[in-house]
Amino acid sequence: MAAEKAFAPGDQRRKESNNSTLLPLPVQIPPALVPTKKQSGVRKALSICFLFVLIYCLHNLPSSQVRSDKPAERLGQTAHHPRHPPVGKRAEEAFLSIPNSADAIQASRLFATKPHMAGTPGDLETAKDFLKLLQRELGISPPEVEPIFSAGSSESQHATRSIPQSRKPSAWIDTYYPVMNTPLDRNLQIVDANGTLVFEANLVEFSDSTDPEAGKYFDDVPTFHGLSRGGDVTGKLVDGNYCTQEDYQNLLAKDININGTIVLCRYGGIFRGLKVKGGQDLGASAVLIYSDPQDDGTVTVENGYLPYPYGPARNPTSVQRGSVQYLSVYPGDPTTPGYPSYENSTRTEGSNIPLIPSLPISWENAGLLFKTLTSGDEWEGKHVRLVNNVDTRVIPVWNTMGVIPGFIRNEVVVIGNHRDGMYLPIISTRRCSNSSGTISSLGVMGAADPSSGTASIHEVVRGLGHLLRRGWKPLRTIVIASWDAEEYGLIGSTEWGEDFGDWIDQHVVAYLNLDSSVSGSRLGASGSPLLAHFIRETAQQIPHPTDEGRTLWDARHDSGTLFGILNGTYEIKQEAIAIREMEIAAADYVGVSPLGSGSDYTVFLQRSGIPSTNGGFSSTLHDPVYHYHSVFDSERWQELYADPGFHRHVAVAKHLGLQTLRLATSALLPFNTTHYAFELESYLDRVESIASQASIDVNLDPLRSSIRNLQKSSIALDKERTKVQKELQKLAKKWRKRHSKMRRTIRKFVCKIKKIFKRECFCSHQFANPEQSRHTELAEDDAALVGMMLHEGIGGAHYVAESLQALNLHHKPPLERLRKLGRRIQIVNKKASSFERGFISKDGIKDREWYKHLAVAPGKWLGYGATTFPGLTEAITFEKNATLAQSEADRLQELIDRIVDKVAI
């Protein structure tokens, strides 16, 4: 049209000579042929009628891309696209109707009763099982060649990087190649000064057929530490209690020389790898770690409970396996820090793994070792010998990935759970000195960790599949991940995060993690302060799994029912209580704790600044003892003691699914920047208290001023968000009213046509009462309705809006209003998303630069637990350096000032 207007009518010849392909000028209509006002009205009426009929026909066309829930159709037959795909509240209700106990139990039995240690054939089999689940539920036809790609290959890169261009669901498996180890032979002995054997411990967890899985595998399950150092050492034993930094300092204060000794540590308090690091730093030659029944609360043999498998108390031979990587230094493949572990990657020696050997042992064996420290005992002063031989090599691991494309394909919500257990089958020709034969299979099934989480996410996938088969499509793209090798040090998720860090920075808006979903009765919730209110609000809308009349959120106060059966009295060690209280005290006033590390959210939050969550039911001091990373973490224990009926599994699935739906379908991201901004000031209050106690002089006033500026900017952003939300609701209400009126007109017109052809019409009475016809409207949720209208791909709303505009039926075209509103929504979302990312520092945290987040990180000597303002806090606590502390405060202030600029309206 621009070319047409460039020429005046008298320039016809010049126009044709310049561009012969242009259409000729329109012929002027003679005055006699110009439609009269009456004729024009008739034509407009006919156009509107034709438009209505066309819309009606298009609206009822079938689709071959949507599958039914019927068995035959789930195998590949096409189904009709439903007239009204569920959106908003109806989509949530449809999703919540799917997760159920029977299917969760079947999923648990599928994943928890077969060997699946990272890097084994059984692990690859479960990766394929999850791939089949994604293919079945997301409507993906399995390709002729299995989509298993080597990390770094063009196929692997394309699978992830093409997600923003994808229009159909997809699923594949990425293979990474980290360095890990598997156990060979191990020994634990008591010897005299001459090295003569006094006692040799049995390192086997004992059970019988009372628990079918534990009874089958107990004699074949090596008890070892992942990524532990091999070695054969002898030395005196030192009791390190929990082997925290405070415990080690107490030993030094008592003039106990740790150099050359073997330190005996209790599990609890801090990550196990840091217990080994603490001993190594002080010259210890090895570390042993055991689980102490004193930390089991009231559920002990002394209180009258039988040990598992005959009762809920601790089996005295149980052993907690696990990685001893220095998690707070950096996670992932030790030999590829900061970059992905491809098959041909350049590798380092690894600076986050021990240089001394370690072994996990049972309480039964620990009790015997304590005799060497008991005055007057015949074994007093005897030495301990520890042997740990491992096979360290490059081992492949498999991440299974699935994608549900949204209308906004460049905004992605990721949900993930790790699949691997600790630890399963290997083949070895080495004979264990304390075993009855060659190690041919291992059997720690991990019914709680991770298979309870896998069972719950299995139900989430089924719920999403149910929606897809009804024509639903999320506003944002959803990526579903089944991570591998988490138990060795978050390897699968970390390597993927390092591989696609730039892509994550550009596209991922949130990460929802699920590790173990059930190991006890108390709900725990952790996450970024941006999502704290969101976590609570969604949990309050899920029923309590076992108590009618309460909500899932109320389960945070549940504490088990086992208080002792002897004389009605019990005693709990104060240290055990203190550890549990420390976990609870970390929560903010909403009830959500900050994230440290210990699961797969780490690379998303701590390295890329992606708001993340984690949650699930954990054991309390009055629950059946959870045998963490033991052969007794079995399906029988899970079904008998942890979650009879799997009601908690289902509740977690519903909560995770509801969070996924709202993050993926809400036009406005549910981020609460103001809560985060005020939490920052509480973080600073703690730092001031620590500095005062340590007599460290640091000026924190400029930092506090910057935080308060951020609070003001965030409040202004909230006001704009509220205005946009009201505009959404207002526009949705108008659209809904207009759409309902349009549909009634169409229906009436169709009925008249049917009557002409003497066909019965049943639709006229349906519109007598608008409230009775709400189920026939396009949507019932404002944000979902307008959110869909804001983006391309919705033929109905988009087409109608353009058609109405073309017919000049409205002075303010809806499409233009939608576009303006869409721009405002994008601005608000972008500013809210910049908040978490704003804490990412290029230089990272001192001495552990892999961690980039300066607002929260795993504590340097905690591992699992979070430290807020980590660089500043640790400069005071550990470095005791006022100059360094001031530098860290200035660095924080600079980051926060930048966030203020990004958030400002």
Side-chain angles (χ1 to χ4, degrees), residues 107 268 592:
V592 175

Side-chain angles (χ1 to χ4, degrees), residues 1-9 12 15 21-26:
M1 294 300 295
E4 293 282 352
K5 294 177 181 179
F7 298 97
Q12 179 71 21
K15 170 186 171 185
T21 62
L22 292 177
L23 293 175
L25 288 173

Side-chain angles (χ1 to χ4, degrees), residues 300-591:
T300 62
V301 172
E302 289 75 17
N303 279 337
Y305 296 104
L306 292 174
Y308 190 80
Y310 315 111
R314 178 174 299 280
N315 185 303
T317 69
S318 67
V319 177
Q320 181 189 141
R321 299 156 184 79
S323 173
V324 287
Q325 178 192 74
Y326 301 160
L327 189 60
S328 59
V329 176
Y330 64 88
D333 179 1
T335 67
T336 60
Y339 57 95
S341 53
Y342 298 158
E343 193 168 13
N344 59 351
S345 288
T346 301
R347 301 184 184 274
T348 69
E349 288 297 318
S351 59
N352 70 336
I353 48 178
L355 300 176
I356 60 175
S358 66
L359 278 178
I361 63 173
S362 67
W363 163 244
E364 184 175 79
N365 284 330
L368 294 171
L369 295 182
F370 273 119
K371 295 176 68 175
T372 66
L373 302 176
T374 303
S375 178
D377 192 278
E378 60 178 332
W379 289 356
E380 181 187 2
K382 296 291 191 290
H383 288 203
V384 173
R385 180 185 178 220
L386 178 155
V387 177
N388 180 50
N389 289 320
V390 292
D391 183 11
T392 303
R393 64 195 188 281
V394 173
I395 300 175
V397 298
W398 301 276
N399 292 334
T400 304
M401 314 294 294
V403 177
I404 303 174
F407 294 111
I408 312 176
R409 294 187 298 276
N410 63 349
E411 291 184 9
V412 178
V413 175
V414 183
I415 60 174
N417 159 256
H418 79 91
R419 188 187 64 257
D420 63 301
M422 193 78 193
Y423 295 97
L424 297 162
I426 58 171
I427 303 297
S428 175
T429 58
R430 301 288 297 273
R431 182 179 296 272
C432 292
S433 60
N434 56 1
S435 177
S436 60
T438 302
I439 302 172
S440 59
S441 66
L442 313 178
V444 182
M445 300 303 174
D449 184 14
S451 293
S452 66
T454 305
S456 292
I457 210 166
H458 177 277
E459 293 303 282
V460 173
V461 174
R462 287 202 320 109
L464 294 174
H466 174 74
L467 294 178
L468 289 172
R469 287 186 288 276
R470 276 148 184 77
W472 171 85
K473 185 174 182 178
L475 191 62
R476 296 179 182 85
T477 292
I478 298 172
V479 170
I480 304 164
S482 176
W483 306 116
D484 203 357
E486 189 267 0
E487 299 293 6
Y488 273 93
L490 323 182
I491 289 177
S493 58
T494 298
E495 299 312 308
W496 188 83
E498 292 174 340
D499 199 358
F500 298 104
D502 59 332
W503 186 89
I504 291 171
D505 292 341
Q506 292 175 18
H507 300 297
V508 177
V509 297
Y511 174 70
L512 306 179
N513 188 66
L514 186 59
D515 202 303
S516 302
S517 65
V518 183
S519 62
S521 66
R522 176 171 292 171
L523 178 71
S526 302
S528 163
L530 276 181
L531 292 168
H533 284 84
F534 174 71
I535 294 169
R536 182 181 67 182
E537 289 165 5
T538 49
Q540 287 173 334
Q541 295 175 27
I542 305 296
H544 190 284
T546 60
D547 188 355
E548 188 176 353
R550 300 170 67 208
T551 70
L552 176 61
W553 189 245
D554 296 326
R556 293 179 307 112
H557 305 295
D558 293 355
S559 61
T561 59
L562 305 180
F563 291 87
I565 59 178
L566 295 179
N567 302 321
T569 62
Y570 61 86
E571 179 182 359
I572 303 177
K573 296 294 183 181
Q574 287 301 312
E575 287 179 308
I577 295 175
I579 288 177
R580 300 300 177 101
E581 288 181 346
M582 180 177 66
E583 297 171 357
I584 297 173
D588 59 18
Y589 76 88
V590 175

Side-chain angles (χ1 to χ4, degrees), residues 491-738:
I491 289 177
S493 58
T494 298
E495 299 312 308
W496 188 83
E498 292 174 340
D499 199 358
F500 298 104
D502 59 332
W503 186 89
I504 291 171
D505 292 341
Q506 292 175 18
H507 300 297
V508 177
V509 297
Y511 174 70
L512 306 179
N513 188 66
L514 186 59
D515 202 303
S516 302
S517 65
V518 183
S519 62
S521 66
R522 176 171 292 171
L523 178 71
S526 302
S528 163
L530 276 181
L531 292 168
H533 284 84
F534 174 71
I535 294 169
R536 182 181 67 182
E537 289 165 5
T538 49
Q540 287 173 334
Q541 295 175 27
I542 305 296
H544 190 284
T546 60
D547 188 355
E548 188 176 353
R550 300 170 67 208
T551 70
L552 176 61
W553 189 245
D554 296 326
R556 293 179 307 112
H557 305 295
D558 293 355
S559 61
T561 59
L562 305 180
F563 291 87
I565 59 178
L566 295 179
N567 302 321
T569 62
Y570 61 86
E571 179 182 359
I572 303 177
K573 296 294 183 181
Q574 287 301 312
E575 287 179 308
I577 295 175
I579 288 177
R580 300 300 177 101
E581 288 181 346
M582 180 177 66
E583 297 171 357
I584 297 173
D588 59 18
Y589 76 88
V590 175
V592 175
S593 301
L595 289 167
S597 187
S599 197
D600 293 304
Y601 55 79
T602 301
V603 71
F604 290 92
L605 176 65
Q606 312 291 2
R607 193 164 176 86
S608 291
I610 305 301
S612 303
T613 69
N614 191 49
F617 285 89
S618 59
S619 59
T620 71
L621 296 173
H622 309 296
D623 279 316
V625 173
Y626 170 38
H627 297 79
Y628 180 45
H629 286 177
S630 161
V631 72
F632 303 115
D633 181 8
S634 64
E635 186 67 19
R636 176 184 181 268
W637 180 84
Q638 181 65 251
E639 294 187 25
L640 180 63
Y641 286 115
D643 190 16
F646 270 46
H647 304 297
R648 295 187 180 105
H649 284 74
V650 172
V652 171
K654 290 182 176 181
H655 187 215
L656 179 62
L658 187 59
Q659 292 178 82
T660 303
L661 287 181
R662 293 192 178 174
L663 276 166
T665 60
S666 297
L668 286 162
L669 288 168
F671 294 165
N672 192 326
T673 58
T674 300
H675 173 65
Y676 204 152
F678 279 91
E679 277 298 291
L680 294 175
E681 190 159 18
S682 69
Y683 298 169
L684 188 59
D685 290 341
R686 293 174 205 165
V687 170
E688 278 193 336
S689 177
I690 293 170
S692 176
Q693 294 174 13
S695 299
I696 300 293
D697 186 18
V698 54
N699 182 13
L700 299 176
D701 290 341
L703 177 56
R704 188 176 296 277
S705 177
S706 293
I707 290 173
R708 289 179 176 171
N709 287 337
L710 182 58
Q711 292 167 357
K712 294 176 183 177
S713 294
S714 183
I715 291 171
L717 180 62
D718 276 348
K719 291 179 179 178
E720 170 63 8
R721 176 190 173 86
T722 300
K723 291 178 182 178
V724 171
Q725 184 67 44
K726 288 181 178 179
E727 181 68 17
L728 270 172
Q729 295 169 350
K730 182 179 179 181
L731 192 59
K733 184 177 180 180
K734 287 185 177 180
W735 172 258
R736 182 178 295 125
K737 183 177 180 180
R738 183 181 303 136

Side-chain angles (χ1 to χ4, degrees), residues 748-863:
K748 289 178 181 179
F749 179 78
V750 171
C751 281
K752 289 180 180 179
I753 298 297
K754 285 184 176 182
K755 288 179 181 179
I756 293 173
F757 293 97
K758 298 182 179 180
R759 293 183 61 183
E760 193 171 4
C761 182
F762 299 97
C763 63
S764 60
H765 68 278
Q766 296 177 4
F767 300 96
N769 185 348
E771 289 302 316
Q772 295 177 355
S773 65
R774 283 183 61 82
H775 66 283
T776 67
E777 296 178 9
L778 182 63
E780 296 179 0
D781 180 82
D782 294 342
L785 171 61
V786 180
M788 291 168 66
M789 293 164 62
L790 283 169
H791 300 279
E792 63 179 359
I794 301 293
H798 192 74
Y799 177 77
V800 170
E802 287 190 324
S803 300
L804 293 175
Q805 180 182 358
L807 290 171
N808 295 317
L809 295 182
H810 301 280
H811 296 293
K812 295 182 179 180
L815 190 60
E816 183 58 30
R817 290 183 64 189
L818 287 173
R819 286 172 176 163
K820 289 181 179 179
L821 185 58
R823 286 192 288 270
R824 291 176 67 188
I825 290 174
Q826 289 173 347
I827 290 171
V828 170
N829 285 343
K830 185 176 181 180
K831 288 181 179 296
S833 295
S834 70
F835 201 104
E836 192 84 67
R837 284 177 167 86
F839 289 105
I840 297 300
S841 166
K842 180 180 178 181
D843 296 331
I845 300 172
K846 181 180 180 295
D847 297 333
R848 46 200 187 112
E849 287 74 16
W850 188 93
Y851 290 97
K852 305 294 186 183
H853 204 299
L854 296 192
V856 64
K860 186 174 184 178
W861 287 104
L862 292 176

